[in-house]
Amino acid sequence: MNFIKGEVLFFDKPLTWTSFQLVSKFRYKLSKRLGVKKIKVGHAGTLDPLATGVLIICTGKATKRIEEFQHQQKEYVAVLKLGETTPSFDLETPVDSVYPTDHIHEGMVREVLKRFVGKIEQVPPAFSACKVNGERAYDLARDGEFVELKPKTLVIDEIELISYDFPTITIRVVCSKGTYIRALARDIGQALSSGAHLTELRRTRIGNITSDQCMRVDDIDRFLEQVHLDDDENKEEE
């Protein structure tokens, strides 16, 4: 392998880690293995700290392919709790409102989910990496500032109800770049005339890459010890 000329690797991001932390961990260990001071390492498609699953990491000149991977179709499995909302639409922040749920039943949920298939408009979460006047929305939101974001057009290819265990539902979502599953949870709750937030989120696929093809954090050292390096790999990246 030649990490400077460029390699594409697949990781299973662990819970509570940011995507940047995983990239930094791998970059540090890779630099030590190669004996270089710096090497380009980047990721395609950020995952929230409370999400797990497929994260594509590119090294060296392969970082030019990041945009290509970002535009590929994504698949997620999400667990939603109905009847409650949080400011972040997941468990990063505590429940701020409770809503009626007596009117909700499985058939209603199935019908509501159908409304989200196809091209939709979605307002990103305030707790997101979207920029507002040059600042990240999540920085403003965490400081208690009001954040207003414009809706974005995206495509939901599939939504499947995997399980209904009221007040919890599990769904599988196949979608385009830019889809916020947390925002989808918010919108599903509103469509049910109630509320909802994520309690679990896992990205199971990017393009043709599935989670069973991914390396875990604990595998990094063994992988780097065993990998065969090209003869020119120990030359520092220019």
Side-chain angles (χ1 to χ4, degrees):
M1 299 185 83
N2 193 311
F3 293 98
I4 291 175
K5 286 185 178 178
E7 298 291 347
V8 179
L9 304 167
F10 316 127
F11 286 86
D12 189 336
K13 189 192 81 65
L15 187 66
T16 73
W17 284 48
T18 66
S19 300
F20 179 75
Q21 283 175 317
L22 180 52
V23 169
S24 295
K25 171 73 76 174
F26 182 72
R27 183 192 292 114
Y28 172 75
K29 290 179 177 291
L30 178 60
S31 296
K32 287 187 65 177
R33 174 68 171 90
L34 300 182
V36 300
K37 293 181 180 178
K38 63 178 181 178
I39 182 170
K40 289 180 182 177
V41 181
H43 69 277
T46 300
L47 277 175
D48 292 330
L50 296 183
T52 64
V54 182
L55 187 72
I56 295 178
I57 288 183
C58 301
T59 76
K61 295 180 180 178
T63 53
K64 295 177 181 178
R65 298 187 61 192
I66 285 176
E67 187 172 353
E68 167 196 335
F69 293 120
Q70 286 178 331
H71 281 84
Q72 291 184 351
Q73 190 182 62
K74 315 285 194 311
E75 180 185 73
Y76 297 88
V77 172
V79 180
L80 284 63
K81 185 173 182 181
L82 306 180
E84 296 178 350
T85 58
T86 74
S88 60
F89 310 150
D90 64 6
L91 295 177
E92 180 181 338
T93 53
V95 171
D96 61 351
S97 297
V98 177
Y99 297 84
T101 57
D102 290 346
H103 62 287
I104 298 174
H105 53 83
E106 183 174 347
M108 181 183 184
V109 171
R110 291 186 182 277
E111 287 303 312
V112 161
L113 292 181
K114 292 177 184 178
R115 302 181 198 172
F116 292 94
V117 178
K119 186 180 291 187
I120 66 170
E121 295 287 310
Q122 183 186 79
V123 178
F127 286 77
S128 69
C130 294
K131 286 194 173 182
V132 180
N133 298 323
E135 295 189 64
R136 295 293 185 185
Y138 55 66
D139 288 330
L140 299 172
R142 285 167 183 157
D143 287 340
E145 295 188 36
F146 174 73
V147 178
E148 185 174 8
L149 297 172
K150 296 180 180 179
K152 295 184 177 181
T153 302
L154 51 90
V155 177
I156 305 290
D157 296 294
E158 299 176 45
I159 296 186
E160 175 189 4
L161 180 64
I162 295 176
S163 69
Y164 181 85
D165 186 17
F166 188 81
T168 295
I169 63 172
T170 302
I171 61 174
R172 183 181 67 90
V173 182
V174 179
C175 57
S176 68
K177 174 182 181 292
T179 305
Y180 283 92
I181 306 301
R182 287 181 290 129
L184 181 62
R186 170 203 62 199
D187 296 341
I188 289 171
Q190 291 176 351
L192 289 167
S193 299
S194 184
H197 67 277
L198 284 185
T199 58
E200 295 179 41
L201 179 63
R202 181 164 179 78
R203 184 156 65 198
T204 52
R205 178 171 61 84
I206 298 178
N208 295 321
I209 306 306
T210 55
S211 54
D212 59 351
Q213 299 172 259
C214 293
M215 186 188 322
R216 297 181 181 274
V217 172
D218 292 343
D219 299 329
I220 293 176
D221 288 336
R222 184 170 62 254
F223 167 73
L224 291 176
E225 288 171 4
Q226 296 177 350
V227 71
H228 174 75
L229 303 178
D230 287 358
D231 292 338
D232 62 345
E233 186 67 77
N234 61 349
K235 295 178 182 178
E236 187 165 333
E237 183 180 18
E238 297 179 358

